[in-house]
Amino acid sequence: MGRPRGFDEATVIRSAAELFSTRSYDGISMDDLVTHLGVHRNSLYKTFGSKRGLYQAALRWSLEHHIAPLIDRVAGAGDLAQALHVAVGEPAEEAGLNLLLMAVVERAPVDREVADQLAPVLAAFDQAARTAAGQHSPAGQHPPGEQHSPAENARQDEDDVAFALTATILGLRLRARAGTSGTNVDQAGAALAHRLTRHP
Amino acid sequence: MGRPRGFDEATVIRSAAELFSTRSYDGISMDDLVTHLGVHRNSLYKTFGSKRGLYQAALRWSLEHHIAPLIDRVAGAGDLAQALHVAVGEPAEEAGLNLLLMAVVERAPVDREVADQLAPVLAAFDQAARTAAGQHSPAGQHPPGEQHSPAENARQDEDDVAFALTATILGLRLRARAGTSGTNVDQAGAALAHRLTRHP
DNA sequence: GCAGTTTAGGAATGAACAGTCAAGAACGTT
DNA sequence: AACGTTCTTGACTGTTCATTCCTAAACTGC
């Protein structure tokens, strides 16, 4: 009952995510959003409560619909080269990764809820990178013990490499954003993957 | 002649760089700067012209006094592990790299002068990473020819790996900034370097 | 100690900002 | 067709923003 909405909420969220992926949170005004989304201020406030609410909805949507599938594809990639390719080479995921990048760099440090939302995503990325890098040891957190058995060291090493690989993926997207052509970024990822998998 | 300054310009620039490294450009107001720097608004405007002028001075200073020496140390590192360690493991350079990170992610896309200033710095980083990764081929741009001789391919590959390594350095700093729980960044860099140098 | 020059300080300006209000329009229900 | 409900709309509010004005202060040279 009541007047029907003149806009599709999912579409608005997707457009907002796109806009938020291009500039900093404080660099985007509500007027910018109103213009870019083609939806009236009050409709946005009614639906999302505040600018922050809209941002959070956009981030959540992007993490769920862009990043999570991307993580799955990274985890399912046959080898590391393919994993890096799907992570940075696909232009379709640009907006999603750019928003993640912005969120990590400039939102997380000043918004705890954002930080708390991103932490598990980065962890999942690590896990996927670890899977793609070579299925040597099973998933899992580190057990509490302080002993350094060879098996534990190996597992820790896998974690560390995966952590660095996620960093590389984000760094490569950062550089693509900074002006380097996508082709070169993809090529750089391939070159690094090749070096890392030379010695299986 | 005239009344002497009540502040040291270099100190102010350094403090501004520190502050700009913590939040986005638009997330920092002139009031924030006035408070953090302990210098009156008018003195800042008299000296730097505008908020953007102050930012540019801070960025230039940081690139010159933090990033350039860091690049030199990366280039001079004995091996890749050491290069990554000096790049991400030294807490003294945190502010410099964080500012670089913020500049690349959120300033460069909306401020061409910043973008133009960062491009050669990233290129220098690539060159240093290439040097640290192994002194196989001399420095230099690619010659114009389109042939793909083995030597050229090797050189291109070195460039690509170096590009990816710079991305990794920035990515690792990004993750350090994001509050890495568990795995530490330095250790991750070391693990990746170890994998990359296993096969010389 | 006065003239000239440069900085400091506080107050002001207008624009842009996030968020709100009240009136009306489009529906389902009765 | 009258009603309650939900959405739309444009104007509005108070705040914060970057930037500027003006006067007083601190110095140098005469």
Side-chain angles (χ1 to χ4, degrees):
Chain A
M1 36 189 151
R3 180 171 174 170
R5 284 203 169 150
F7 62 94
D8 176 39
E9 188 169 327
T11 304
V12 163
I13 291 178
R14 189 163 49 81
S15 290
E18 207 171 304
L19 185 56
F20 277 127
S21 76
T22 62
R23 300 204 297 272
S24 79
Y25 178 82
D26 289 305
I28 293 173
S29 70
M30 275 310 247
D31 283 338
D32 290 338
L33 286 160
V34 166
T35 301
H36 188 260
L37 306 181
V39 173
H40 201 84
R41 306 174 73 76
N42 274 8
S43 301
L44 294 179
Y45 277 99
K46 197 88 169 174
T47 310
F48 304 102
S50 66
K51 180 185 178 185
R52 183 163 173 262
L54 175 52
Y55 177 85
Q56 283 172 326
L59 178 60
R60 183 172 21 243
W61 185 90
S62 182
L63 292 179
E64 188 176 333
H65 290 82
H66 280 151
I67 301 300
L70 182 63
I71 288 175
D72 287 344
R73 275 189 287 153
V74 167
D79 60 357
L80 193 52
Q82 207 179 337
L84 283 179
H85 175 73
V86 305
V88 304
E90 313 268 6
E93 310 292 1
E94 269 190 29
L97 271 174
N98 279 346
L99 180 57
L100 175 62
L101 199 56
M102 291 288 266
V104 170
V105 170
E106 73 108 8
R107 263 346 261 167
V110 295
D111 189 327
R112 179 175 290 268
E113 279 191 55
V114 170
D116 290 345
Q117 203 169 359
L118 293 180
V121 172
L122 292 179
F125 237 123
D126 291 342
Q127 190 57 47
R130 182 177 163 154
T131 303
Q135 295 78 356
H136 292 146
S137 40
Q141 314 297 79
H142 315 145
E146 284 292 352
Q147 309 88 0
H148 299 301
S149 71
E152 254 179 52
N153 283 345
R155 180 160 30 196
Q156 179 65 46
D157 189 64
E158 296 273 334
D159 282 346
D160 289 339
V161 170
F163 184 94
L165 283 172
T166 301
T168 303
I169 289 171
L170 292 172
L172 286 172
R173 169 109 314 267
L174 182 134
R175 300 204 64 176
R177 190 185 163 77
T180 310
S181 85
T183 311
N184 289 344
V185 172
D186 194 26
Q187 197 174 334
L192 190 77
H194 182 248
R195 290 255 171 132
L196 282 167
T197 47
R198 230 199 218 149
H199 208 21
Chain B
M1 37 189 151
R3 179 171 173 169
R5 284 201 169 153
F7 63 94
D8 176 39
E9 189 169 325
T11 304
V12 163
I13 290 178
R14 189 163 50 80
S15 291
E18 207 170 304
L19 185 56
F20 276 126
S21 76
T22 62
R23 300 204 297 272
S24 79
Y25 178 82
D26 289 306
I28 293 172
S29 69
M30 275 309 250
D31 282 340
D32 291 337
L33 285 160
V34 166
T35 302
H36 188 259
L37 305 181
V39 173
H40 200 83
R41 310 171 74 76
N42 275 4
S43 302
L44 294 179
Y45 276 99
K46 196 88 169 176
T47 310
F48 302 103
S50 65
K51 182 186 177 185
R52 183 162 173 263
L54 175 53
Y55 178 83
Q56 283 172 326
L59 179 59
R60 183 169 24 241
W61 186 90
S62 183
L63 292 179
E64 189 176 333
H65 290 82
H66 280 150
I67 301 300
L70 181 63
I71 288 176
D72 287 345
R73 275 189 288 153
V74 168
D79 60 357
L80 193 52
Q82 209 179 337
L84 283 178
H85 175 73
V86 306
V88 304
E90 312 268 4
E93 312 291 0
E94 267 190 30
L97 270 175
N98 280 345
L99 180 57
L100 175 61
L101 199 56
M102 290 288 266
V104 170
V105 170
E106 73 108 8
R107 262 347 258 167
V110 295
D111 190 328
R112 179 175 288 269
E113 279 192 55
V114 169
D116 291 345
Q117 203 169 1
L118 293 179
V121 172
L122 291 179
F125 236 123
D126 291 342
Q127 190 57 47
R130 182 177 164 152
T131 303
Q135 297 78 357
H136 291 146
S137 40
Q141 314 298 78
H142 317 143
E146 283 293 350
Q147 308 88 359
H148 298 304
S149 71
E152 254 180 49
N153 282 345
R155 179 158 33 193
Q156 180 63 46
D157 190 64
E158 297 273 333
D159 281 348
D160 289 338
V161 170
F163 183 95
L165 284 172
T166 302
T168 302
I169 289 171
L170 292 172
L172 285 172
R173 170 109 315 267
L174 181 135
R175 300 204 64 175
R177 188 185 163 78
T180 169
S181 53
T183 312
N184 86 51
V185 174
D186 195 24
Q187 199 174 333
L192 191 76
H194 182 248
R195 291 257 172 129
L196 283 167
T197 47
R198 228 198 219 150
H199 210 18

